[in-house]
Amino acid sequence: MTFISQSRRLRETPFTSGVVAAGVKAYTVYNRMLLPTVFQDVESDYRHLKTHVQVWDVSVERQVELNGPDAARLMQMMTPRNLSRMQDDQCYYVPIVDHKGRMLNDPVAIKHSETRWWISIADSDLLFWVKGLALGAGLDVDVFEPDVSPLAVQGPKADMLMERVFGPIVHDIRFFRQKRLSFNSQSFLVARSGYSKQGGFEIYVEGTKNGMPLWDTLFMAGRDLEVRAGCPNLIERIEGGLLSYGNDMTMENTPFECGLGKFCNAPDDVDYIGKSALRAEAATGPSRQVRAVAIDGAPLPPAQACWQLHDKGTPVGKVTSAVWSPDIGTNVAIAMVEASHWDAGRTLTVETPKGPRAAQVQSRFWN
Ligand code: THG
C-alpha cells in the first residue's frame, strides 16, 4: 500500500473535512484535486445510491467562468453544439474540440446570461485553452476559475432531501435547468443534473466557507432518508453509459467516436473551431465508436489500462472501463470499437488481466 503525499498543488475542497469524517476509503486525482471513489465498497455504495440518497463532493468539477460582452461568442467558438436557442436557465452537455475536431473536454455549460457562463469541466486543463482563445481572438471577456464547488445530491430520494433544505421550489427545476435558491443568507445555483442516472441535483456552492454549513444541513435533514456521503460510482456510471474523459475518450477522439454526434448540431452559418474537420467526419461517419460491451465470466477487477479487443487475433478496438455489475449479473464495459465490428450481437475477445474472455457488443447501455 502506498500513499499520495499532500501539498498545496493537490487542492483541498470546501467539503474535505466532511468527506474525511464520513470515512472515505479511496480517492482519485481529478483536475489536481482529490475525488472520492469509495466510501464503504464500490458495490455497497452502488446499492445505496440506487436505493436512497447520497451527497457527493464533486468540487473537482471546476468552473471556467466567461464574463463579459463576448462571453457567448467565445462559448460558441469552442463547441459544435448549437447554443443559439439556449435559455438563461439551461445547462448543456457540450463537446469542446480543437481545430481537428478532437475532444479537449466534455463539460456541462451553464448559462447565467449572454455575458456570463460557467463551463463545468471534466479532467483536463481547459482554462488554458479558453484563456488562449480569448486573448488570441482579442475578445472582450474575462476568463477565470471562480471559487465555486459543486455538491451533488443523487439518488431516488434526492427530491425529498432537497425539498427539506431548499423548499418545494426544487420540484420546479427541470432536467438540465437551473434556479438560484437561497440557503441561510446565501443563494446558490441549483441544477437538476449530476453524474449518475438515479436523478438528482447539483448545488454550485460559491465561497469555500459556505461548504460545510450546507453539507451539515443536508446530513441533518436526511437522517431518516438514510443519506450518506457518496461519489460517482463506477458500476452505476458504466451501466448508464456516462463517459469519463481520460478513460473512455481522450484528445485522440472526436465527438462522433464518443457517440456525441447529436451534440454536433450547430447550423451551417455558425462558425466554431473544428467545423471543417467535423463536417467531413459527419459525411463519412466515424471509423470507430463507443459501445456498451458485456464481458463473460467471473467478476473482473476495474480496468487500469485499455484491454485489447480482437476478432480471432485481428485488433478491433479496446475496452476502456469495465466492472462487475451485481444487477446485470455480468461484467459491464465501455469500449471503443472499429466500424467493421461494432454491430450489436457480435462476439469478440477481450484480453483482460484474468486472461482472454468473450465480449458481446450491446445495442445500448443498461439503463
Ligand atoms: N456535472 C457537472 N460537471 C461535470 C460533470 C457533471 N463535469 C465533469 C463531467 N461530469 C463531465 N461529463 C459529463 C458526462 C455526462 C453528463 C454530464 C457530464 C450527463 N449526461 C447525461 C446522459 O448522458 O444521460 C445527459 C446528457 C444530455 O442529454 O444533455 O449528465 O456530471 N456539473
PDB file of all heavy atoms in Angstrom, residues 30 61 63 81 92-93 106-108 110 120-122 150 175-176 193-195 197 202 204 241-243 262-263, ligand 1:
ATOM      1  N   TYR A  30      -8.239  14.376  -9.890  1.00  0.00           N
ATOM      2  CA  TYR A  30      -9.047  14.911 -10.996  1.00  0.00           C
ATOM      3  C   TYR A  30      -8.921  16.430 -10.929  1.00  0.00           C
ATOM      4  O   TYR A  30      -9.186  17.017  -9.883  1.00  0.00           O
ATOM      5  CB  TYR A  30     -10.479  14.456 -10.766  1.00  0.00           C
ATOM      6  CG  TYR A  30     -11.488  14.587 -11.884  1.00  0.00           C
ATOM      7  CD1 TYR A  30     -11.925  13.460 -12.582  1.00  0.00           C
ATOM      8  CD2 TYR A  30     -12.067  15.804 -12.198  1.00  0.00           C
ATOM      9  CE1 TYR A  30     -12.903  13.554 -13.567  1.00  0.00           C
ATOM     10  CE2 TYR A  30     -13.044  15.905 -13.190  1.00  0.00           C
ATOM     11  CZ  TYR A  30     -13.460  14.773 -13.863  1.00  0.00           C
ATOM     12  OH  TYR A  30     -14.441  14.862 -14.830  1.00  0.00           O
ATOM     13  N   GLU A  61     -15.239  19.118 -10.308  1.00  0.00           N
ATOM     14  CA  GLU A  61     -15.885  19.699 -11.482  1.00  0.00           C
ATOM     15  C   GLU A  61     -15.666  21.208 -11.387  1.00  0.00           C
ATOM     16  O   GLU A  61     -16.540  21.966 -10.965  1.00  0.00           O
ATOM     17  CB  GLU A  61     -17.390  19.359 -11.507  1.00  0.00           C
ATOM     18  CG  GLU A  61     -17.686  17.864 -11.596  1.00  0.00           C
ATOM     19  CD  GLU A  61     -19.165  17.503 -11.325  1.00  0.00           C
ATOM     20  OE1 GLU A  61     -19.969  18.391 -10.984  1.00  0.00           O
ATOM     21  OE2 GLU A  61     -19.511  16.316 -11.441  1.00  0.00           O
ATOM     22  N   GLN A  63     -15.104  25.121 -12.329  1.00  0.00           N
ATOM     23  CA  GLN A  63     -15.777  26.011 -13.272  1.00  0.00           C
ATOM     24  C   GLN A  63     -14.766  26.910 -13.973  1.00  0.00           C
ATOM     25  O   GLN A  63     -13.838  27.417 -13.348  1.00  0.00           O
ATOM     26  CB  GLN A  63     -16.802  26.906 -12.547  1.00  0.00           C
ATOM     27  CG  GLN A  63     -17.778  26.139 -11.673  1.00  0.00           C
ATOM     28  CD  GLN A  63     -18.531  25.060 -12.427  1.00  0.00           C
ATOM     29  OE1 GLN A  63     -19.218  25.374 -13.385  1.00  0.00           O
ATOM     30  NE2 GLN A  63     -18.374  23.801 -12.022  1.00  0.00           N
ATOM     31  N   ARG A  81     -21.923  22.258 -30.626  1.00  0.00           N
ATOM     32  CA  ARG A  81     -23.333  22.224 -30.232  1.00  0.00           C
ATOM     33  C   ARG A  81     -23.967  23.592 -30.488  1.00  0.00           C
ATOM     34  O   ARG A  81     -23.362  24.635 -30.197  1.00  0.00           O
ATOM     35  CB  ARG A  81     -23.486  21.844 -28.751  1.00  0.00           C
ATOM     36  CG  ARG A  81     -24.951  21.660 -28.381  1.00  0.00           C
ATOM     37  CD  ARG A  81     -25.188  20.752 -27.219  1.00  0.00           C
ATOM     38  NE  ARG A  81     -26.637  20.655 -26.959  1.00  0.00           N
ATOM     39  CZ  ARG A  81     -27.176  20.095 -25.902  1.00  0.00           C
ATOM     40  NH1 ARG A  81     -26.411  19.544 -24.974  1.00  0.00           N
ATOM     41  NH2 ARG A  81     -28.482  20.040 -25.744  1.00  0.00           N
ATOM     42  N   TYR A  92     -26.090  22.713 -20.718  1.00  0.00           N
ATOM     43  CA  TYR A  92     -25.918  21.852 -21.893  1.00  0.00           C
ATOM     44  C   TYR A  92     -24.657  21.013 -21.704  1.00  0.00           C
ATOM     45  O   TYR A  92     -23.616  21.547 -21.308  1.00  0.00           O
ATOM     46  CB  TYR A  92     -25.695  22.709 -23.150  1.00  0.00           C
ATOM     47  CG  TYR A  92     -26.909  23.154 -23.941  1.00  0.00           C
ATOM     48  CD1 TYR A  92     -28.213  23.025 -23.472  1.00  0.00           C
ATOM     49  CD2 TYR A  92     -26.716  23.727 -25.195  1.00  0.00           C
ATOM     50  CE1 TYR A  92     -29.282  23.464 -24.248  1.00  0.00           C
ATOM     51  CE2 TYR A  92     -27.780  24.160 -25.969  1.00  0.00           C
ATOM     52  CZ  TYR A  92     -29.062  24.026 -25.487  1.00  0.00           C
ATOM     53  OH  TYR A  92     -30.117  24.462 -26.245  1.00  0.00           O
ATOM     54  N   TYR A  93     -24.768  19.747 -22.036  1.00  0.00           N
ATOM     55  CA  TYR A  93     -23.578  18.898 -22.146  1.00  0.00           C
ATOM     56  C   TYR A  93     -22.940  19.245 -23.491  1.00  0.00           C
ATOM     57  O   TYR A  93     -23.603  19.146 -24.526  1.00  0.00           O
ATOM     58  CB  TYR A  93     -24.023  17.432 -22.087  1.00  0.00           C
ATOM     59  CG  TYR A  93     -22.928  16.381 -22.095  1.00  0.00           C
ATOM     60  CD1 TYR A  93     -21.708  16.576 -21.457  1.00  0.00           C
ATOM     61  CD2 TYR A  93     -23.140  15.150 -22.731  1.00  0.00           C
ATOM     62  CE1 TYR A  93     -20.739  15.587 -21.457  1.00  0.00           C
ATOM     63  CE2 TYR A  93     -22.174  14.158 -22.726  1.00  0.00           C
ATOM     64  CZ  TYR A  93     -20.971  14.379 -22.096  1.00  0.00           C
ATOM     65  OH  TYR A  93     -20.011  13.394 -22.094  1.00  0.00           O
ATOM     66  N   ASP A 106     -15.299  17.351 -22.054  1.00  0.00           N
ATOM     67  CA  ASP A 106     -16.751  17.145 -22.276  1.00  0.00           C
ATOM     68  C   ASP A 106     -17.528  17.710 -21.101  1.00  0.00           C
ATOM     69  O   ASP A 106     -18.166  16.989 -20.353  1.00  0.00           O
ATOM     70  CB  ASP A 106     -17.072  15.655 -22.511  1.00  0.00           C
ATOM     71  CG  ASP A 106     -16.899  14.802 -21.261  1.00  0.00           C
ATOM     72  OD1 ASP A 106     -16.023  15.114 -20.428  1.00  0.00           O
ATOM     73  OD2 ASP A 106     -17.661  13.820 -21.106  1.00  0.00           O
ATOM     74  N   PRO A 107     -17.496  19.037 -20.945  1.00  0.00           N
ATOM     75  CA  PRO A 107     -18.109  19.649 -19.760  1.00  0.00           C
ATOM     76  C   PRO A 107     -19.605  19.875 -19.881  1.00  0.00           C
ATOM     77  O   PRO A 107     -20.214  19.626 -20.923  1.00  0.00           O
ATOM     78  CB  PRO A 107     -17.401  21.001 -19.696  1.00  0.00           C
ATOM     79  CG  PRO A 107     -17.189  21.360 -21.132  1.00  0.00           C
ATOM     80  CD  PRO A 107     -16.879  20.044 -21.822  1.00  0.00           C
ATOM     81  N   VAL A 108     -20.172  20.368 -18.790  1.00  0.00           N
ATOM     82  CA  VAL A 108     -21.520  20.926 -18.788  1.00  0.00           C
ATOM     83  C   VAL A 108     -21.360  22.444 -18.832  1.00  0.00           C
ATOM     84  O   VAL A 108     -20.631  23.012 -18.023  1.00  0.00           O
ATOM     85  CB  VAL A 108     -22.282  20.511 -17.512  1.00  0.00           C
ATOM     86  CG1 VAL A 108     -23.649  21.179 -17.461  1.00  0.00           C
ATOM     87  CG2 VAL A 108     -22.415  18.997 -17.427  1.00  0.00           C
ATOM     88  N   ILE A 110     -23.071  26.041 -18.281  1.00  0.00           N
ATOM     89  CA  ILE A 110     -24.186  26.650 -17.552  1.00  0.00           C
ATOM     90  C   ILE A 110     -24.296  28.101 -18.007  1.00  0.00           C
ATOM     91  O   ILE A 110     -23.340  28.867 -17.901  1.00  0.00           O
ATOM     92  CB  ILE A 110     -23.958  26.603 -16.021  1.00  0.00           C
ATOM     93  CG1 ILE A 110     -23.867  25.156 -15.545  1.00  0.00           C
ATOM     94  CG2 ILE A 110     -25.080  27.331 -15.277  1.00  0.00           C
ATOM     95  CD1 ILE A 110     -22.474  24.714 -15.216  1.00  0.00           C
ATOM     96  N   SER A 120     -18.385  23.691 -16.637  1.00  0.00           N
ATOM     97  CA  SER A 120     -18.138  22.774 -15.523  1.00  0.00           C
ATOM     98  C   SER A 120     -17.338  21.584 -16.055  1.00  0.00           C
ATOM     99  O   SER A 120     -17.899  20.635 -16.596  1.00  0.00           O
ATOM    100  CB  SER A 120     -19.479  22.325 -14.934  1.00  0.00           C
ATOM    101  OG  SER A 120     -19.274  21.546 -13.784  1.00  0.00           O
ATOM    102  N   ILE A 121     -16.033  21.664 -15.888  1.00  0.00           N
ATOM    103  CA  ILE A 121     -15.127  20.830 -16.699  1.00  0.00           C
ATOM    104  C   ILE A 121     -14.885  19.420 -16.177  1.00  0.00           C
ATOM    105  O   ILE A 121     -14.939  19.152 -14.979  1.00  0.00           O
ATOM    106  CB  ILE A 121     -13.763  21.530 -16.914  1.00  0.00           C
ATOM    107  CG1 ILE A 121     -13.027  21.750 -15.593  1.00  0.00           C
ATOM    108  CG2 ILE A 121     -13.963  22.848 -17.655  1.00  0.00           C
ATOM    109  CD1 ILE A 121     -11.588  22.237 -15.767  1.00  0.00           C
ATOM    110  N   ALA A 122     -14.588  18.530 -17.138  1.00  0.00           N
ATOM    111  CA  ALA A 122     -14.048  17.207 -16.841  1.00  0.00           C
ATOM    112  C   ALA A 122     -12.527  17.343 -16.664  1.00  0.00           C
ATOM    113  O   ALA A 122     -12.002  18.457 -16.613  1.00  0.00           O
ATOM    114  CB  ALA A 122     -14.407  16.240 -17.968  1.00  0.00           C
ATOM    115  N   PRO A 150     -19.116  22.379  -6.896  1.00  0.00           N
ATOM    116  CA  PRO A 150     -20.391  21.660  -6.948  1.00  0.00           C
ATOM    117  C   PRO A 150     -20.498  20.567  -5.879  1.00  0.00           C
ATOM    118  O   PRO A 150     -19.530  19.861  -5.589  1.00  0.00           O
ATOM    119  CB  PRO A 150     -20.401  21.041  -8.352  1.00  0.00           C
ATOM    120  CG  PRO A 150     -19.428  21.857  -9.140  1.00  0.00           C
ATOM    121  CD  PRO A 150     -18.367  22.251  -8.150  1.00  0.00           C
ATOM    122  N   PHE A 175     -34.970  18.900 -15.899  1.00  0.00           N
ATOM    123  CA  PHE A 175     -33.678  18.293 -16.211  1.00  0.00           C
ATOM    124  C   PHE A 175     -32.776  19.259 -16.990  1.00  0.00           C
ATOM    125  O   PHE A 175     -33.194  19.838 -17.994  1.00  0.00           O
ATOM    126  CB  PHE A 175     -33.889  17.013 -17.029  1.00  0.00           C
ATOM    127  CG  PHE A 175     -32.631  16.217 -17.283  1.00  0.00           C
ATOM    128  CD1 PHE A 175     -31.902  15.672 -16.232  1.00  0.00           C
ATOM    129  CD2 PHE A 175     -32.175  16.014 -18.579  1.00  0.00           C
ATOM    130  CE1 PHE A 175     -30.746  14.933 -16.467  1.00  0.00           C
ATOM    131  CE2 PHE A 175     -31.023  15.270 -18.825  1.00  0.00           C
ATOM    132  CZ  PHE A 175     -30.311  14.739 -17.764  1.00  0.00           C
ATOM    133  N   PHE A 176     -31.573  19.428 -16.494  1.00  0.00           N
ATOM    134  CA  PHE A 176     -30.582  20.324 -17.096  1.00  0.00           C
ATOM    135  C   PHE A 176     -31.049  21.782 -17.167  1.00  0.00           C
ATOM    136  O   PHE A 176     -30.659  22.538 -18.047  1.00  0.00           O
ATOM    137  CB  PHE A 176     -30.099  19.806 -18.460  1.00  0.00           C
ATOM    138  CG  PHE A 176     -28.856  18.929 -18.333  1.00  0.00           C
ATOM    139  CD1 PHE A 176     -28.854  17.795 -17.544  1.00  0.00           C
ATOM    140  CD2 PHE A 176     -27.679  19.261 -18.999  1.00  0.00           C
ATOM    141  CE1 PHE A 176     -27.703  16.999 -17.395  1.00  0.00           C
ATOM    142  CE2 PHE A 176     -26.525  18.469 -18.869  1.00  0.00           C
ATOM    143  CZ  PHE A 176     -26.545  17.344 -18.070  1.00  0.00           C
ATOM    144  N   SER A 193     -29.168  17.868 -12.399  1.00  0.00           N
ATOM    145  CA  SER A 193     -28.114  17.255 -13.210  1.00  0.00           C
ATOM    146  C   SER A 193     -27.258  16.416 -12.272  1.00  0.00           C
ATOM    147  O   SER A 193     -27.531  16.331 -11.076  1.00  0.00           O
ATOM    148  CB  SER A 193     -27.261  18.355 -13.869  1.00  0.00           C
ATOM    149  OG  SER A 193     -26.701  19.213 -12.889  1.00  0.00           O
ATOM    150  N   GLY A 194     -26.228  15.805 -12.809  1.00  0.00           N
ATOM    151  CA  GLY A 194     -25.320  15.013 -11.979  1.00  0.00           C
ATOM    152  C   GLY A 194     -24.849  13.772 -12.695  1.00  0.00           C
ATOM    153  O   GLY A 194     -25.512  13.290 -13.609  1.00  0.00           O
ATOM    154  N   TYR A 195     -23.712  13.268 -12.235  1.00  0.00           N
ATOM    155  CA  TYR A 195     -23.024  12.169 -12.920  1.00  0.00           C
ATOM    156  C   TYR A 195     -23.547  10.802 -12.462  1.00  0.00           C
ATOM    157  O   TYR A 195     -22.797   9.934 -12.044  1.00  0.00           O
ATOM    158  CB  TYR A 195     -21.519  12.310 -12.678  1.00  0.00           C
ATOM    159  CG  TYR A 195     -20.640  11.568 -13.643  1.00  0.00           C
ATOM    160  CD1 TYR A 195     -20.603  11.915 -14.996  1.00  0.00           C
ATOM    161  CD2 TYR A 195     -19.833  10.529 -13.214  1.00  0.00           C
ATOM    162  CE1 TYR A 195     -19.787  11.239 -15.882  1.00  0.00           C
ATOM    163  CE2 TYR A 195     -19.005   9.847 -14.093  1.00  0.00           C
ATOM    164  CZ  TYR A 195     -18.987  10.210 -15.424  1.00  0.00           C
ATOM    165  OH  TYR A 195     -18.168   9.544 -16.296  1.00  0.00           O
ATOM    166  N   LYS A 197     -27.392   8.155 -13.195  1.00  0.00           N
ATOM    167  CA  LYS A 197     -28.695   8.021 -13.855  1.00  0.00           C
ATOM    168  C   LYS A 197     -29.812   7.865 -12.832  1.00  0.00           C
ATOM    169  O   LYS A 197     -30.937   7.512 -13.184  1.00  0.00           O
ATOM    170  CB  LYS A 197     -28.678   6.815 -14.803  1.00  0.00           C
ATOM    171  CG  LYS A 197     -27.790   7.015 -16.026  1.00  0.00           C
ATOM    172  CD  LYS A 197     -28.454   7.915 -17.054  1.00  0.00           C
ATOM    173  CE  LYS A 197     -27.736   7.824 -18.394  1.00  0.00           C
ATOM    174  NZ  LYS A 197     -28.393   8.661 -19.397  1.00  0.00           N
ATOM    175  N   GLU A 202     -27.352  19.251  -8.631  1.00  0.00           N
ATOM    176  CA  GLU A 202     -26.025  19.748  -8.308  1.00  0.00           C
ATOM    177  C   GLU A 202     -26.180  21.175  -7.789  1.00  0.00           C
ATOM    178  O   GLU A 202     -26.849  21.995  -8.407  1.00  0.00           O
ATOM    179  CB  GLU A 202     -25.101  19.696  -9.521  1.00  0.00           C
ATOM    180  CG  GLU A 202     -24.776  18.249  -9.911  1.00  0.00           C
ATOM    181  CD  GLU A 202     -23.873  18.125 -11.137  1.00  0.00           C
ATOM    182  OE1 GLU A 202     -24.260  18.621 -12.207  1.00  0.00           O
ATOM    183  OE2 GLU A 202     -22.791  17.535 -11.007  1.00  0.00           O
ATOM    184  N   TYR A 204     -24.160  24.474  -6.885  1.00  0.00           N
ATOM    185  CA  TYR A 204     -22.880  25.135  -7.163  1.00  0.00           C
ATOM    186  C   TYR A 204     -22.572  26.076  -6.005  1.00  0.00           C
ATOM    187  O   TYR A 204     -23.064  27.204  -5.960  1.00  0.00           O
ATOM    188  CB  TYR A 204     -22.931  25.872  -8.499  1.00  0.00           C
ATOM    189  CG  TYR A 204     -23.029  24.941  -9.700  1.00  0.00           C
ATOM    190  CD1 TYR A 204     -24.239  24.346 -10.054  1.00  0.00           C
ATOM    191  CD2 TYR A 204     -21.898  24.644 -10.464  1.00  0.00           C
ATOM    192  CE1 TYR A 204     -24.325  23.477 -11.142  1.00  0.00           C
ATOM    193  CE2 TYR A 204     -21.969  23.787 -11.562  1.00  0.00           C
ATOM    194  CZ  TYR A 204     -23.184  23.206 -11.898  1.00  0.00           C
ATOM    195  OH  TYR A 204     -23.265  22.366 -12.974  1.00  0.00           O
ATOM    196  N   GLY A 241     -23.751   4.328 -19.092  1.00  0.00           N
ATOM    197  CA  GLY A 241     -23.044   4.842 -20.269  1.00  0.00           C
ATOM    198  C   GLY A 241     -22.566   6.274 -20.107  1.00  0.00           C
ATOM    199  O   GLY A 241     -22.462   7.010 -21.095  1.00  0.00           O
ATOM    200  N   LEU A 242     -22.286   6.681 -18.874  1.00  0.00           N
ATOM    201  CA  LEU A 242     -21.723   8.019 -18.652  1.00  0.00           C
ATOM    202  C   LEU A 242     -20.216   7.947 -18.905  1.00  0.00           C
ATOM    203  O   LEU A 242     -19.508   7.182 -18.247  1.00  0.00           O
ATOM    204  CB  LEU A 242     -22.026   8.498 -17.231  1.00  0.00           C
ATOM    205  CG  LEU A 242     -23.509   8.753 -16.943  1.00  0.00           C
ATOM    206  CD1 LEU A 242     -23.744   9.016 -15.461  1.00  0.00           C
ATOM    207  CD2 LEU A 242     -24.028   9.931 -17.764  1.00  0.00           C
ATOM    208  N   LEU A 243     -19.759   8.720 -19.869  1.00  0.00           N
ATOM    209  CA  LEU A 243     -18.366   8.636 -20.294  1.00  0.00           C
ATOM    210  C   LEU A 243     -17.455   9.419 -19.358  1.00  0.00           C
ATOM    211  O   LEU A 243     -17.857  10.422 -18.784  1.00  0.00           O
ATOM    212  CB  LEU A 243     -18.216   9.179 -21.719  1.00  0.00           C
ATOM    213  CG  LEU A 243     -19.088   8.502 -22.774  1.00  0.00           C
ATOM    214  CD1 LEU A 243     -18.844   9.141 -24.142  1.00  0.00           C
ATOM    215  CD2 LEU A 243     -18.817   7.001 -22.828  1.00  0.00           C
ATOM    216  N   LYS A 262     -24.980  13.717 -31.693  1.00  0.00           N
ATOM    217  CA  LYS A 262     -26.213  14.523 -31.591  1.00  0.00           C
ATOM    218  C   LYS A 262     -25.951  15.916 -31.030  1.00  0.00           C
ATOM    219  O   LYS A 262     -26.786  16.807 -31.156  1.00  0.00           O
ATOM    220  CB  LYS A 262     -27.275  13.789 -30.762  1.00  0.00           C
ATOM    221  CG  LYS A 262     -26.917  13.534 -29.307  1.00  0.00           C
ATOM    222  CD  LYS A 262     -28.129  12.940 -28.563  1.00  0.00           C
ATOM    223  CE  LYS A 262     -27.860  12.651 -27.104  1.00  0.00           C
ATOM    224  NZ  LYS A 262     -27.023  11.446 -26.887  1.00  0.00           N
ATOM    225  N   PHE A 263     -24.779  16.097 -30.425  1.00  0.00           N
ATOM    226  CA  PHE A 263     -24.423  17.421 -29.914  1.00  0.00           C
ATOM    227  C   PHE A 263     -23.589  18.218 -30.926  1.00  0.00           C
ATOM    228  O   PHE A 263     -23.070  19.286 -30.603  1.00  0.00           O
ATOM    229  CB  PHE A 263     -23.680  17.301 -28.583  1.00  0.00           C
ATOM    230  CG  PHE A 263     -24.482  16.602 -27.513  1.00  0.00           C
ATOM    231  CD1 PHE A 263     -23.979  15.487 -26.850  1.00  0.00           C
ATOM    232  CD2 PHE A 263     -25.752  17.061 -27.163  1.00  0.00           C
ATOM    233  CE1 PHE A 263     -24.719  14.839 -25.864  1.00  0.00           C
ATOM    234  CE2 PHE A 263     -26.503  16.416 -26.179  1.00  0.00           C
ATOM    235  CZ  PHE A 263     -25.987  15.307 -25.532  1.00  0.00           C
TER     236      PHE A 263
HETATM  237  N1  THG B   1     -21.812  17.679 -13.732  1.00  0.00           N
HETATM  238  C1  THG B   1     -21.170  18.867 -13.787  1.00  0.00           C
HETATM  239  N2  THG B   1     -19.921  18.965 -14.272  1.00  0.00           N
HETATM  240  C2  THG B   1     -19.288  17.859 -14.730  1.00  0.00           C
HETATM  241  C3  THG B   1     -19.924  16.600 -14.711  1.00  0.00           C
HETATM  242  C4  THG B   1     -21.226  16.517 -14.184  1.00  0.00           C
HETATM  243  N3  THG B   1     -18.028  17.968 -15.200  1.00  0.00           N
HETATM  244  C5  THG B   1     -17.272  16.782 -15.436  1.00  0.00           C
HETATM  245  C6  THG B   1     -18.087  15.664 -16.025  1.00  0.00           C
HETATM  246  N4  THG B   1     -19.291  15.478 -15.219  1.00  0.00           N
HETATM  247  C7  THG B   1     -18.443  15.996 -17.456  1.00  0.00           C
HETATM  248  N5  THG B   1     -19.001  14.847 -18.147  1.00  0.00           N
HETATM  249  C8  THG B   1     -20.361  14.589 -18.177  1.00  0.00           C
HETATM  250  C9  THG B   1     -20.780  13.400 -18.740  1.00  0.00           C
HETATM  251  C10 THG B   1     -22.146  13.107 -18.774  1.00  0.00           C
HETATM  252  C11 THG B   1     -23.058  14.005 -18.263  1.00  0.00           C
HETATM  253  C12 THG B   1     -22.631  15.175 -17.711  1.00  0.00           C
HETATM  254  C13 THG B   1     -21.279  15.478 -17.685  1.00  0.00           C
HETATM  255  C14 THG B   1     -24.514  13.728 -18.303  1.00  0.00           C
HETATM  256  N6  THG B   1     -25.016  13.085 -19.341  1.00  0.00           N
HETATM  257  C15 THG B   1     -26.423  12.744 -19.425  1.00  0.00           C
HETATM  258  C16 THG B   1     -26.554  11.418 -20.131  1.00  0.00           C
HETATM  259  O1  THG B   1     -25.650  11.023 -20.843  1.00  0.00           O
HETATM  260  O2  THG B   1     -27.572  10.781 -19.921  1.00  0.00           O
HETATM  261  C17 THG B   1     -27.272  13.803 -20.088  1.00  0.00           C
HETATM  262  C18 THG B   1     -26.703  14.415 -21.323  1.00  0.00           C
HETATM  263  C19 THG B   1     -27.740  15.270 -22.037  1.00  0.00           C
HETATM  264  O3  THG B   1     -28.666  14.701 -22.607  1.00  0.00           O
HETATM  265  O4  THG B   1     -27.613  16.512 -22.056  1.00  0.00           O
HETATM  266  O5  THG B   1     -25.236  14.128 -17.419  1.00  0.00           O
HETATM  267  O6  THG B   1     -21.865  15.442 -14.103  1.00  0.00           O
HETATM  268  N7  THG B   1     -21.773  19.961 -13.320  1.00  0.00           N
END
